[in-house]
Amino acid sequence: MTRPGSPDSPRAALMPLDDALSQLLAFAVPLADIEFVSTFEADGRVLAQDLVSDLQVPPHDNSSMDGYAVRCFDVAQALQATAPEAGTLPVSQRIAAGSSGVPLAPMTVARIFTGAPIPFGADAVVMQEDCEVLPGADGHSSNVVRIKSVPAPGQWIRRAGEDVTRGAVVLSKGELLTPAALGLAASIGMNLLQVARRPRVALFSTGDELVMPGDVAPEQMKPGAIYNSNRFFLRALLLRLGCEVSDLGIVPDRLDATVAALQAAAQDHDLILTSGGVSVGEEDHIKPAVQSLGQLDLWQIAIKPGKPFAYGRVANAHFIGLPGNPVSSFVTFLLLVRPFLLELQGVTHSAIKSIAIPAHFTWARADKRREFLRVRRNAAGGLDLFANQSSGVLTSAVWGDGLVDNPPGQAIAIGDHVRFIPFSELLG
Ligand code: AMP
Ligand code: MG
């Protein structure tokens, strides 16, 4: 018996992406270790505790305007008076943000500023633009204001607890911390946060053709040599996902060298990530090397770009082998490795969201496999397609601002709604 998607069954059906993803995520047991980091440093980390608020935010009813805190009933009374006194009330206190006033004396108003607590007895704020400060006898401002109409009760008052109530879970375990989440944690007084430890990832590229930029000048490149581009975007993607990366460089296409690199990488890492050499050609040594040290499943996933993909284990480390073609490597990282690394850190919802957007292109040559087309949003609210969708053309991933997730065999006509996944959804 051979399994779907296994290379031992070349004519068997390729494995659907969703099956590959759920199998892969079943291996992503969250790392047990947690650590405390400063809330300042926690952007992009994964929360390892529920954050429960010990206080309400805001802590007290406060003004959302610069103006005057009033009692509506008193304003109505003042408006009954005959001109020129109609609507006039004396200012009995001044309350700035950071101070607290005293109960509002009857038939007076309180000068108040944004964020300052509403004094006991006041039930509305009138913004200063709607108040007239009467001139005093000496020509300067007096201590009396005129209000033209009765405000609605509650006007310009931000209620205590309208953001966070006491005892509320403001952020949950498993949440990926964003800049706004750091602000929210700070608003309930948290200066340290318990987060999952960073996954330690060893990264290497395989391929005798690979040369590091800087080692050989473009005009000196030997025939057949190419620069190692995967190493640069894979490292950057890993860092964005909160990983500690050990960059083990380029490993030659030899079994002994591949075995040695894997053995070294398995030492202190949670994941060994490689690109290239994952097919079953004579120059592809990943499969036999991983098998000699541990175990490996090589999957032929029904997606384009990105068919070959390997998951295995070497000692205590997870192993993931990505295809060598740059766009295949990039796309399989985003679709499979990213959710895997998020779940290692305890993220509970790593599902990728797509949105429906009209295609402003045609795609007649639909593939049997589910395709991820490099596209870009245009000013008219539609999607343009990068002309060359080859898995070796990295320009497509730079020109594009996302992927169209196109079902197997689905041709696309102009105006059809397609599923769009913005890169911003995948690179955050
Ligand atoms: P492979 O998966 O090793 O058969 O490689 C498939 C294709 O991707 C070949 O054309 C390789 O030259 C290319 N390739 C493999 N690794 C890299 C890399 N790190 N950077 C750029 N291209 C690569
Ligand atoms: Mg190769």
Side-chain angles (χ1 to χ4, degrees):
M1 269 288 291
T2 52
R3 276 172 288 171
S6 150
D8 303 329
S9 56
R11 294 188 190 283
L14 301 179
M15 188 190 289
L17 176 64
D18 292 341
D19 293 357
L21 185 61
S22 58
Q23 284 195 36
L24 182 68
L25 294 184
F27 295 117
V29 179
L31 301 172
D33 316 340
I34 50 158
E35 60 192 28
F36 280 97
V37 296
S38 157
T39 306
F40 275 126
E41 306 299 333
D43 184 30
R45 302 297 294 272
V46 179
L47 200 59
Q49 60 178 148
D50 283 345
L51 282 195
V52 180
S53 181
D54 288 337
L55 78 175
Q56 52 181 2
V57 182
H60 39 65
D61 288 359
N62 68 96
S63 178
S64 60
M65 285 288 168
D66 289 347
Y68 296 86
V70 304
R71 189 183 282 110
C72 296
F73 180 82
D74 291 356
V75 177
Q77 288 289 105
L79 284 164
Q80 307 277 307
T82 47
E85 271 79 39
T88 62
L89 287 163
V91 180
S92 57
Q93 61 177 314
R94 185 177 187 280
I95 315 168
S99 64
S100 56
V102 294
L104 186 63
M107 290 308 286
T108 72
V109 298
R111 180 72 170 122
I112 198 162
F113 299 90
T114 304
I118 303 293
F120 181 81
D123 56 7
V125 170
V126 181
M127 64 165 112
Q128 60 193 22
E129 291 83 348
D130 293 339
C131 298
E132 181 193 350
V133 180
L134 299 188
D138 57 0
H140 291 96
S141 298
S142 74
N143 213 23
V144 177
V145 291
R146 173 178 286 123
I147 297 169
K148 289 167 217 104
S149 58
V150 183
Q155 173 179 286
W156 304 127
I157 294 178
R158 299 191 287 220
R159 292 296 172 195
E162 74 176 21
D163 190 357
V164 177
T165 54
R166 197 189 308 271
V169 176
V170 298
L171 293 165
S172 306
K173 184 174 171 183
E175 231 166 294
L176 186 61
L177 293 167
T178 60
L182 302 188
L184 187 59
S187 80
I188 64 162
M190 305 297 298
N191 67 324
L192 289 176
L193 298 175
Q194 234 178 353
V195 297
R197 110 168 134 71
R198 294 180 181 280
R200 292 190 278 265
V201 182
L203 175 66
F204 65 83
S205 327
T206 72
D208 284 343
E209 71 280 31
L210 301 177
V211 170
M212 278 301 285
D215 286 356
V216 181
E219 61 279 11
Q220 254 114 53
M221 289 284 274
K222 296 210 177 75
I226 59 167
Y227 287 119
N228 184 348
S229 46
N230 297 0
R231 184 172 177 185
F232 288 81
F233 64 71
L234 290 174
R235 180 174 179 279
L237 288 167
L238 289 167
L239 292 176
R240 284 200 180 197
L241 281 165
C243 301
E244 277 172 18
V245 181
S246 305
D247 189 336
L248 304 182
I250 299 166
V251 173
D253 285 323
R254 288 197 327 264
L255 184 59
D256 59 341
T258 311
V259 168
L262 288 166
Q263 263 171 331
Q267 294 302 311
D268 287 313
H269 296 97
D270 304 301
L271 169 67
I272 305 169
L273 184 69
T274 66
S275 79
V278 86
S279 303
V280 284
E282 277 165 40
E283 297 294 339
D284 296 312
H285 301 293
I286 288 290
K287 184 173 186 248
V290 177
Q291 277 171 338
S292 75
L293 296 170
Q295 65 195 66
L296 181 91
D297 276 323
L298 188 53
W299 299 335
Q300 302 295 320
I301 304 177
I303 55 170
K304 194 179 172 191
K307 194 163 71 171
F309 182 93
Y311 172 81
R313 292 197 66 95
V314 179
N316 288 323
H318 298 278
F319 171 85
I320 292 178
L322 299 178
N325 275 308
V327 186
S328 306
S329 219
F330 185 71
V331 169
T332 47
F333 184 98
L334 295 179
L335 299 177
L336 293 153
V337 183
R338 178 179 178 277
F340 182 84
L341 285 167
L342 290 175
E343 299 221 356
L344 270 196
Q345 294 175 77
V347 169
T348 37
H349 307 289
S350 66
I352 294 164
K353 285 181 266 176
S354 62
I355 44 178
I357 299 196
H360 286 179
F361 62 87
T362 54
W363 185 246
R365 305 160 282 153
D367 198 88
K368 292 195 297 291
R369 288 178 275 166
R370 182 169 165 186
E371 287 177 287
F372 290 90
L373 307 170
R374 275 74 67 213
V375 296
R376 177 154 101 180
R377 270 171 293 195
N378 60 33
L383 296 171
D384 295 329
L385 181 75
F386 191 75
N388 187 341
Q389 292 287 324
S390 158
S391 62
V393 175
L394 205 45
T395 311
S396 67
V398 176
W399 180 92
D401 62 5
L403 301 169
V404 162
D405 177 358
N406 196 42
Q410 177 92 51
I412 299 170
I414 291 176
D416 286 356
H417 277 76
V418 292
R419 301 307 307 183
F420 174 67
I421 308 169
F423 282 143
S424 56
E425 169 81 14
L426 299 168
L427 300 178

mmCIF file of all heavy atoms in Angstrom, residues 206-209 253 276-277 283-284, ligand 2:
data_model
loop_
_atom_site.group_PDB
_atom_site.id
_atom_site.type_symbol
_atom_site.label_atom_id
_atom_site.label_comp_id
_atom_site.label_asym_id
_atom_site.label_seq_id
_atom_site.Cartn_x
_atom_site.Cartn_y
_atom_site.Cartn_z
ATOM 1 N N THR A 206 20.321 23.410 -0.355
ATOM 2 C CA THR A 206 21.125 22.410 -1.034
ATOM 3 C C THR A 206 21.266 22.784 -2.501
ATOM 4 O O THR A 206 20.357 23.375 -3.082
ATOM 5 C CB THR A 206 20.481 21.012 -0.977
ATOM 6 O OG1 THR A 206 19.341 20.986 -1.847
ATOM 7 C CG2 THR A 206 20.049 20.654 0.431
ATOM 8 N N GLY A 207 22.369 22.434 -3.093
ATOM 9 C CA GLY A 207 22.542 22.665 -4.529
ATOM 10 C C GLY A 207 23.975 23.036 -4.861
ATOM 11 O O GLY A 207 24.502 24.018 -4.347
ATOM 12 N N ASP A 208 24.622 22.223 -5.719
ATOM 13 C CA ASP A 208 25.995 22.511 -6.137
ATOM 14 C C ASP A 208 26.076 23.750 -7.016
ATOM 15 O O ASP A 208 27.156 24.312 -7.200
ATOM 16 C CB ASP A 208 26.556 21.310 -6.919
ATOM 17 C CG ASP A 208 26.933 20.171 -5.982
ATOM 18 O OD1 ASP A 208 27.058 20.423 -4.761
ATOM 19 O OD2 ASP A 208 27.098 19.031 -6.472
ATOM 20 N N GLU A 209 24.923 24.151 -7.583
ATOM 21 C CA GLU A 209 24.924 25.322 -8.457
ATOM 22 C C GLU A 209 24.901 26.631 -7.682
ATOM 23 O O GLU A 209 25.093 27.704 -8.242
ATOM 24 C CB GLU A 209 23.722 25.260 -9.416
ATOM 25 C CG GLU A 209 22.337 25.491 -8.799
ATOM 26 C CD GLU A 209 21.732 24.272 -8.079
ATOM 27 O OE1 GLU A 209 22.498 23.452 -7.522
ATOM 28 O OE2 GLU A 209 20.490 24.161 -8.041
ATOM 29 N N ASP A 253 25.497 18.884 -3.064
ATOM 30 C CA ASP A 253 24.634 17.752 -3.442
ATOM 31 C C ASP A 253 25.379 16.430 -3.277
ATOM 32 O O ASP A 253 25.707 15.731 -4.246
ATOM 33 C CB ASP A 253 24.167 17.908 -4.895
ATOM 34 C CG ASP A 253 23.085 18.971 -5.045
ATOM 35 O OD1 ASP A 253 22.240 19.081 -4.132
ATOM 36 O OD2 ASP A 253 23.087 19.687 -6.056
ATOM 37 N N GLY A 276 15.422 22.831 -1.713
ATOM 38 C CA GLY A 276 16.064 22.105 -2.817
ATOM 39 C C GLY A 276 16.328 20.657 -2.447
ATOM 40 O O GLY A 276 16.218 20.238 -1.286
ATOM 41 N N GLY A 277 16.622 19.878 -3.478
ATOM 42 C CA GLY A 277 17.039 18.487 -3.280
ATOM 43 C C GLY A 277 15.956 17.573 -2.753
ATOM 44 O O GLY A 277 16.241 16.487 -2.244
ATOM 45 N N GLU A 283 20.431 13.549 -7.948
ATOM 46 C CA GLU A 283 21.133 14.619 -7.226
ATOM 47 C C GLU A 283 20.351 15.104 -6.015
ATOM 48 O O GLU A 283 20.713 16.086 -5.399
ATOM 49 C CB GLU A 283 21.425 15.785 -8.173
ATOM 50 C CG GLU A 283 22.354 15.442 -9.329
ATOM 51 C CD GLU A 283 23.772 15.104 -8.856
ATOM 52 O OE1 GLU A 283 24.140 15.510 -7.732
ATOM 53 O OE2 GLU A 283 24.485 14.413 -9.596
ATOM 54 N N ASP A 284 19.244 14.438 -5.710
ATOM 55 C CA ASP A 284 18.412 14.868 -4.590
ATOM 56 C C ASP A 284 18.661 13.949 -3.398
ATOM 57 O O ASP A 284 18.209 12.809 -3.369
ATOM 58 C CB ASP A 284 16.935 14.846 -4.997
ATOM 59 C CG ASP A 284 16.639 15.839 -6.117
ATOM 60 O OD1 ASP A 284 17.071 16.999 -5.985
ATOM 61 O OD2 ASP A 284 16.017 15.443 -7.118
HETATM 62 MG MG MG B 2 19.028 20.745 -6.328
#
